[in-house]
Amino acid sequence: MPYVFQAFTQLDSKTRQASSAEPGTGLGLAICKQLVEMMGGQVMVESVYGQGSTFSFTAVIDLQPISSATSSSLEPSSITEATIDSVAQSNSNGSLDTPTSSTVPTTNEAVVVEEKKKDMKILVAEDNKVNQKVIKKMLLRLGYECNIVEDGLQAWEELKVNDYDLILMDVHMPKMDGFQSTQRIRKLERFADESHALYQSRQPVIMALTAEVLDGVHEQCKEVQMNGYLSKPLTLDELESTLMTVERYKENFVEDSKVSFDDV
């Protein structure tokens, strides 16, 4: 049962389809766990198959009269940002690292990252606000900036007029999902002229973002000409590896226009 507290952990797709509940992000219990641990407690769960689950927690609370100073320190916005920072520093198994003085960037560290911005145009297509912030912070930690759109339709519209090196494309989005958006992007007229010198280099690398890596996602990605996928929970190591591969691909293409993304 401990895995339910890991970031981005969700029901499998078949169970979600059978449920009437709206799909979430898989961050709720992870956030609850971290908030409780920040208060010196722990979260516990007891579950009986077919009957249900009971969640409980302990916390060390120092009761004090409410003042403007204490109430302002508990603003939801400040807690949310701290949690998002922690998710952006998640380790390889997707669990949340409790922020410490060694993991939270100092002002000087932030300046260093600012000076090391990488020259890559990245578009993030993601409808969930929390996920948008997490991915953006991850990219910033690695020295990259990005533009964000909220659905596949907006991504398609953006590619009509702007070039991007990489698109991180969520699979499940409103209006138009990631697969449909990719199909339309690959068929855009501005990419269709194979005689154009920049035909292939202008095509973005498109990576799917999905938690459903066992449901034929790899085949679906190939069918719509995605270059691959990143599984959720997304980690810094995986994201950095993908960014480095994209950089090598773009560099190699200048020397050999027949090189494919898989070659690098």
Side-chain angles (χ1 to χ4, degrees), residues 17 26 30-32 36 45 58 64 101 103 134 138 141 157 161 167 176 199 209-211 229 245 261:
Q17 291 171 1
I31 291 173
C32 289
V36 169
V45 57
T58 61
Q64 296 179 354
S101 58
T103 60
V134 170
M138 281 184 166
R141 281 181 62 83
E157 294 287 351
V161 294
I167 303 177
M176 184 185 295
Y199 162 70
L209 298 176
T210 177
Y229 65 86
T245 301
F261 185 75

Side-chain angles (χ1 to χ4, degrees), residues 149-260:
V149 294
E150 297 186 347
D151 57 61
L153 183 59
Q154 290 181 11
W156 175 57
E157 294 287 351
E158 179 72 12
L159 265 293
K160 282 183 178 180
V161 294
N162 293 309
D163 289 331
Y164 284 91
D165 299 305
L166 171 66
I167 303 177
L168 298 176
M169 182 82 75
D170 186 29
V171 171
H172 299 295
M173 292 183 288
K175 297 183 180 179
M176 184 185 295
D177 66 33
F179 296 126
Q180 293 172 317
S181 180
T182 299
Q183 284 181 311
R184 291 200 180 190
I185 289 171
R186 294 304 191 203
K187 294 178 181 179
L188 283 173
E189 289 186 9
R190 62 195 301 264
F191 296 142
D193 183 7
E194 297 190 33
S195 64
H196 195 291
L198 295 177
Y199 162 70
Q200 190 66 32
S201 64
R202 288 170 60 185
Q203 281 274 10
V205 172
I206 304 179
M207 301 294 291
L209 298 176
T210 177
E212 301 177 7
V213 295
L214 300 179
D215 293 343
V217 171
H218 180 67
E219 288 72 21
Q220 287 180 286
C221 289
K222 291 180 62 176
E223 186 176 335
V224 300
Q225 299 181 55
M226 282 181 165
N227 298 92
Y229 65 86
L230 291 170
S231 59
K232 296 179 180 179
L234 184 62
T235 67
L236 274 174
D237 288 344
E238 292 169 337
L239 182 58
E240 184 176 29
S241 176
T242 297
L243 293 166
M244 292 176 65
T245 301
V246 174
E247 288 182 349
R248 289 197 302 271
Y249 168 66
K250 291 296 180 179
E251 290 172 359
N252 291 339
F253 182 84
V254 174
E255 301 176 1
D256 182 2
S257 61
K258 294 182 181 180
V259 69
S260 70

Side-chain angles (χ1 to χ4, degrees), residues 120-166:
M120 182 187 297
K121 294 193 66 176
I122 301 173
L123 181 68
V124 176
E126 167 65 64
D127 61 308
N128 183 271
K129 297 293 185 183
V130 174
N131 289 348
Q132 289 176 5
K133 292 181 178 181
V134 170
I135 295 172
K136 183 176 182 178
K137 284 185 178 291
M138 281 184 166
L139 288 170
L140 284 174
R141 281 181 62 83
L142 296 171
Y144 298 86
E145 291 184 326
C146 68
N147 290 333
I148 298 175
V149 294
E150 297 186 347
D151 57 61
L153 183 59
Q154 290 181 11
W156 175 57
E157 294 287 351
E158 179 72 12
L159 265 293
K160 282 183 178 180
V161 294
N162 293 309
D163 289 331
Y164 284 91
D165 299 305
L166 171 66

Side-chain angles (χ1 to χ4, degrees), residues 26-81:
L27 286 173
L29 286 174
I31 291 173
C32 289
K33 179 176 181 289
Q34 181 161 353
L35 292 177
V36 169
E37 289 177 348
M38 290 170 68
M39 294 188 290
Q42 62 180 137
V43 179
M44 295 154 285
V45 57
E46 296 180 359
S47 184
V48 179
Y49 183 77
Q51 296 183 25
S53 302
T54 301
F55 291 83
S56 59
F57 71 92
T58 61
V60 178
I61 301 175
D62 185 12
L63 297 180
Q64 296 179 354
I66 296 177
S67 65
S68 57
T70 56
S71 60
S72 63
S73 67
L74 295 177
E75 284 294 323
S77 59
S78 63
I79 294 175
T80 300
E81 288 302 319

